Amino acid sequence: MRIGQLAKAVGCTIETIRYYENQGLLAKPQRSANNFRYYTNDHLQRLSFICYCRSLDMSLHEIKMLLNLDRSSGQQAEEINLLLDKHIRDVAKRLHELAHLRMELIKLKQKCSEMTGENLMQNIFSGGNIRFRKIK
């Protein structure tokens, strides 16, 4: 299949496929006689896996680690589990951060609804008890 057909089959862009090729996640395809890239079912399966991992918010580095695990290694399942455990911890941390962000936004909205006056932004800045800090 050609690159456009592969992109359509998986639901990504042609640019994404070329990027994954350049990053070494997807093997460069053979060229046909008319110099078109020709992708095989192996490309389709691997790209589907990459896109699935990206939908799980895995980084390209994490995906590359999964793809490069030695199939003959007895430690393969352990390595996969360690990588996924780390990703699960990262997701839990981000959920906590997002919950904190949500609470800060609710507080700010409440403060704004309590304020009156023509210059609401000036009132927010001079409110005294509102602390602005980076939320991480």
Side-chain angles (χ1 to χ4, degrees):
M1 76 182 75
R2 292 186 19 200
I3 194 167
Q5 295 167 313
L6 180 64
K8 187 175 182 179
V10 177
C12 70
T13 65
I14 291 171
E15 292 79 17
T16 299
I17 294 171
R18 290 185 180 140
Y19 180 75
Y20 290 158
E21 287 174 8
N22 290 333
Q23 294 299 308
L25 293 167
L26 192 63
K28 298 224 184 236
Q30 297 292 321
R31 296 272 184 170
S32 63
N34 56 6
N35 207 27
F36 287 121
R37 294 176 172 150
Y38 181 76
Y39 294 88
T40 64
N41 194 46
D42 289 339
H43 287 102
L44 176 63
Q45 289 178 350
R46 189 171 177 107
L47 182 59
S48 294
F49 177 76
I50 293 167
C51 291
Y52 173 71
C53 289
R54 290 296 296 142
S55 76
L56 297 175
D57 204 29
M58 295 181 84
S59 69
L60 294 182
H61 177 72
E62 290 171 323
I63 296 168
K64 193 177 277 191
M65 286 176 61
L66 285 175
L67 292 171
N68 289 334
L69 286 174
D70 182 11
R71 296 184 198 281
S72 63
S73 169
Q75 296 179 333
Q76 182 184 23
E78 183 180 337
E79 292 177 36
I80 290 171
N81 283 332
L82 288 173
L83 178 70
L84 293 175
D85 284 343
K86 181 190 177 306
H87 190 68
I88 290 167
R89 284 190 306 274
D90 292 345
V91 168
K93 179 182 175 191
R94 282 199 329 224
L95 286 171
H96 176 75
E97 292 168 351
L98 287 170
H100 182 71
L101 175 61
R102 180 180 174 272
M103 293 307 300
E104 291 295 319
L105 289 169
I106 289 169
K107 285 183 202 175
L108 180 59
K109 181 180 177 189
Q110 183 179 5
K111 197 61 144 170
C112 288
S113 65
E114 294 170 357
M115 291 184 178
T116 58
E118 290 185 22
N119 193 342
L120 184 61
M121 289 306 295
Q122 185 61 37
N123 288 339
I124 291 171
F125 291 135
S126 65
N129 60 353
I130 295 179
R131 286 187 340 200
F132 296 100
R133 65 184 188 280
K134 183 178 178 183
I135 297 175
K136 175 119 170 91

